[in-house]
Amino acid sequence: PGGGAVGSCKQPGAARDACVEVLRSRYAPLLRELGSGEVTVLLYQTWGRPAEMHCQPEVLGEFPDMCERTAAGYEAYRRALEAGGVQDVQVVPVGDAYRRLAAGPQGTEMLPNMFLDNIGHATPTAALLIACVFAKSFARLRKQSRPVIVGSEPTRVAVAIVARKMGVPADQVDRICEAAGVDLESAGASG
């Protein structure tokens, strides 16, 4: 009843089934009504946390495990909305970018700088990575003739403006995006 089940979407295990049902039966009809087939729903895929932060490795696993479970959850949510008749649902793979960053050669050094607190909130540096992943997703929508104005140059300009306002040097933005496998140069290109 109400939005209570939605709050439980963040809980591991059986609560995911309740969320899937709420998305399919309650949110999908609302999204269909709002969008009339002309809308793309973007699900903001979040990320895991290292076990030393969440202190529940027996439940949530280590960082790669938690990221994998989180990604699987968002895929289940995407499928639930589609099963409910929403035509275009896409996952913005931010958690995947975090996982690539952690697995890369600079991951041990960079990953701790992505978490503001033990809950896993994003630091300004992480916010830039998130912005880059969203910009890449918006560019894909543009290629699908969706009304989004993003390409490689506008994407770079937008990220540079955000970085400057946050006091993050531009070279650090490039380093973070490169380490996470987010290529802003190809954001407006095919492929």
Side-chain angles (χ1 to χ4, degrees):
V6 175
S8 67
C9 288
K10 295 183 180 183
Q11 302 300 320
R16 181 179 293 166
D17 293 337
C19 288
V20 165
E21 180 55 28
V22 168
L23 286 168
R24 187 194 61 71
S25 65
R26 294 190 183 181
Y27 284 89
L30 292 172
L31 290 167
R32 282 193 325 264
E33 184 180 322
L34 288 172
S36 304
E38 299 295 323
V39 68
T40 297
V41 175
L42 297 177
L43 299 178
Y44 174 22
Q45 180 197 71
T46 56
W47 49 89
R49 292 173 287 153
E52 58 271 10
M53 288 175 70
H54 62 64
C55 300
Q56 299 180 60
E58 64 286 344
V59 176
L60 301 174
E62 295 294 331
F63 179 75
D65 303 321
M66 191 174 178
C67 283
E68 190 172 312
R69 287 181 186 157
T70 301
Y74 281 95
E75 181 58 24
Y77 302 158
R78 184 191 66 73
R79 286 191 313 266
L81 288 171
E82 287 180 344
V86 180
Q87 292 181 6
D88 191 6
V89 183
Q90 298 178 25
V91 175
V92 180
V94 175
D96 293 347
Y98 266 74
R99 188 171 33 182
R100 285 191 305 272
L101 179 98
Q106 299 172 2
T108 305
E109 170 195 343
M110 294 180 82
L111 189 64
N113 298 321
M114 305 302 277
F115 300 100
L116 184 64
D117 52 32
N118 284 347
I119 299 171
H121 290 115
T123 62
T125 301
L128 289 169
L129 173 62
I130 294 163
C132 291
V133 176
F134 266 92
K136 186 87 172 184
S137 295
F138 290 149
R140 281 192 205 103
L141 291 176
R142 182 173 167 255
K143 285 186 277 183
Q144 298 170 3
S145 300
R146 296 290 188 186
V148 177
I149 303 170
V150 173
S152 62
E153 196 53 37
T155 300
R156 280 211 160 276
V157 169
V159 170
I161 290 169
V162 171
R164 186 173 62 232
K165 286 188 179 280
M166 296 171 76
V168 178
D171 64 324
Q172 189 175 3
V173 174
D174 290 337
R175 185 172 163 231
I176 292 163
C177 289
E178 182 181 320
V182 178
D183 180 11
L184 289 178
E185 294 302 321
S186 68
S190 298

